[in-house]
């Protein structure tokens, strides 16, 4: 979509994407009604009220206030971003002797990418040459190894479900204890889950004799496979994804609780993304990228000017991108924080998307809610958690790691002890305040995407 110059092609592609599985609208509509009914029987007014009671946010009002405040701040950034995109599309229409009729959902990826390319000269094909999957994976493991004082030993001839899968033992760096096993299943194949995620296979726990049951987990991803002439090459976005998923993986491995119940899946849903989002930051640090990003043919380290271009482009389009996240969160709350069991899911999705993202849906029949898998995958009344957790991860990175040093192992061990080890056994706000030394704030997140400077 982001490379399709023809608007007609982009429109057809989006229409094809958003007219898939139309029967899912009926199923989501039914799920919304059933969730509301169950919440009422338990004494709650809405499904969101029921879900949020055990999250950090506690109430729907807290979530709505968070989303509303963030939307207002992001609108300031989005105003200038929309102007740039409009000018590009208007110029394209003028050159083609066609009438400009506005910006549509199918324009977002293409023109956002075009702005990034023209302003920052980021050539994704050139970037990929420096991110071969094996050295990148080893480099990312080294980051976690250094900061969290861990050691990863690759298992030779491992018992795995596919030849592409690799397996590692995880140990304390000083060899004092074995911690668990991790699997990396990084390439696509027929019938495999199509996105990136971490699957906990076994939670850690304590036996009655004091011995440990060790945790096991796997990353599932779908990065480009190697070819006969080139190794598997990653985009920089892929590198960030791998850092993110590895954050989930090591969170699971580092949990030290007596009961298996308090493993990764029991971490509050509006915090569970925080540890993984935190480690995305290392993928933007020039000193870190210089350690493992090397040209797959020559071995040349990634040029500093190319890293500078990537970093400069990091926040390009941050207003519009994060408004899309706000939209998903607001749609989720609209259908789950209501006492109307018959709320029109499709109409609500279309109306909110146009109001918040600033791009028109056009007059087509598509509805993205049909493939918004989070609504049936455990994130009902919880999608806000991505941005909620992002604000906390930015706070931790700026307050501790940037201040103390991004490879400071003492800070890393504080983080491991207060944030990772408790798993779901404590309210995440308790660990956050211990690690930060104060209540968390969204100021660092807002500053990191340029909002503070736009007010």
């Amino acid at each position: 979509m982001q490379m399709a110059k023809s608007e007609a092609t982009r429109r057809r592609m989006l229409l094809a994407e958003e007219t898939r599985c139309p029967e899912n609208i009926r199923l989501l509509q039914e799920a919304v009604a059933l969730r509301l009914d169950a919440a009422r029987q338990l004494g709650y007014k809405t499904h969101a009220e029921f879900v949020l009671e055990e999250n950090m946010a506690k109430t729907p009002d807290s979530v709505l206030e968070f989303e509303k405040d963030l939307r207002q701040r992001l609108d300031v950034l989005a105003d200038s971003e929309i102007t740039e995109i409009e000018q590009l599309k208007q110029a394209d229409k003028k050159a083609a002797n066609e009438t400009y009729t506005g910006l549509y959902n199918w324009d977002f990826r293409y023109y956002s990418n075009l702005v990034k390319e023209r302003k920052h000269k980021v050539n994704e094909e050139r970037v990929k040459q420096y991110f071969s999957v094996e050295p990148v994976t080893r480099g990312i493991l080294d980051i976690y190894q250094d900061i969290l004082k861990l050691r990863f030993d690759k298992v030779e001839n491992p018992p795995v479900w596919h030849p592409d899968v690799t397996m590692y033992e995880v140990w304390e760096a000083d060899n004092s204890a074995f911690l668990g096993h991790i699997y990396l299943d990084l390439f696509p194949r027929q019938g495999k889950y199509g996105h990136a995620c971490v699957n906990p296979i076994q939670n850690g726990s304590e036996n009655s004799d004091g011995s440990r049951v060790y945790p096991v987990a796997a990353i599932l991803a779908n990065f480009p496979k190697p070819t006969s002439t080139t190794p598997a090459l990653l985009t920089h976005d892929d590198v960030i994804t791998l850092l993110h998923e590895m954050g989930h993986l090591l969170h699971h491995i580092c949990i030290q609780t007596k009961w298996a119940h308090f493993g990764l899946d029991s971490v509050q849903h509006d915090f569970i993304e925080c540890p993984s989002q935190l480690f995305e930051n290392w993928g933007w640090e020039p000193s870190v990228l210089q350690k493992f990003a090397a040209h797959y043919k020559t071995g040349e380290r990634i040029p500093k000017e190319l890293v500078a271009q990537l970093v400069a482009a990091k926040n390009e389009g941050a207003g519009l991108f994060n408004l899309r996240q706000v939209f998903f969160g607001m749609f989720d709350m609209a259908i789950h924080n209501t006492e109307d069991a018959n709320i029109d899911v499709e109409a609500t999705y279309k109306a909110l998307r146009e109001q918040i993202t600033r791009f028109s849906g056009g007059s087509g029949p598509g509805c993205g809610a049909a493939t918004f898998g989070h609504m049936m995958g455990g994130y009902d009344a919880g999608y806000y958690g991505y941005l909620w957790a992002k604000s906390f991860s930015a706070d931790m990175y700026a307050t501790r790691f940037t201040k103390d040093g991004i490879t400071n192992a003492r800070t890393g061990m504080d983080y491991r002890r207060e944030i990772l080890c408790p798993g779901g056994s404590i309210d995440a706000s308790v660990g956050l305040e211990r690690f930060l030394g104060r209540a968390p704030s969204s100021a660092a997140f807002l500053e990191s995407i340029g909002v503070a400077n736009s007010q």
Side-chain angles (χ1 to χ4, degrees), residues 32 54 70 96 135 167 278 295 324 350 357 361 364 410 445 447:
V32 167
E54 294 190 356
L70 191 54
M167 177 183 180
L278 173 74
H295 198 283
R324 286 172 65 82
K350 288 182 175 180
T357 69
R410 178 175 294 179
F445 169 63
E447 185 174 355

Side-chain angles (χ1 to χ4, degrees), residues 38-56:
R40 283 173 171 166
Q41 291 191 47
L42 292 170
Y44 299 89
K45 292 181 180 179
T46 70
H47 177 64
E49 191 177 279
F50 162 66
V51 169
L52 294 172
E53 185 177 57
E54 294 190 356
N55 282 3
M56 290 182 72

Side-chain angles (χ1 to χ4, degrees), residues 176-214:
S176 62
F178 173 73
L179 294 176
H181 284 107
I182 60 173
Y183 296 88
L184 307 185
D185 187 352
L186 302 182
F187 303 118
R189 60 180 176 273
Q190 186 68 33
K192 183 182 173 184
Y193 178 70
H195 299 287
C197 70
V198 164
N199 280 354
I201 297 171
Q202 176 173 279
N203 286 355
S205 61
E206 187 177 303
N207 291 316
S208 58
D209 63 0
S211 62
R212 293 291 296 174
V213 173
Y214 297 108

Side-chain angles (χ1 to χ4, degrees), residues 56 118 137 224:
M56 290 182 72
R118 293 189 178 184
T137 301

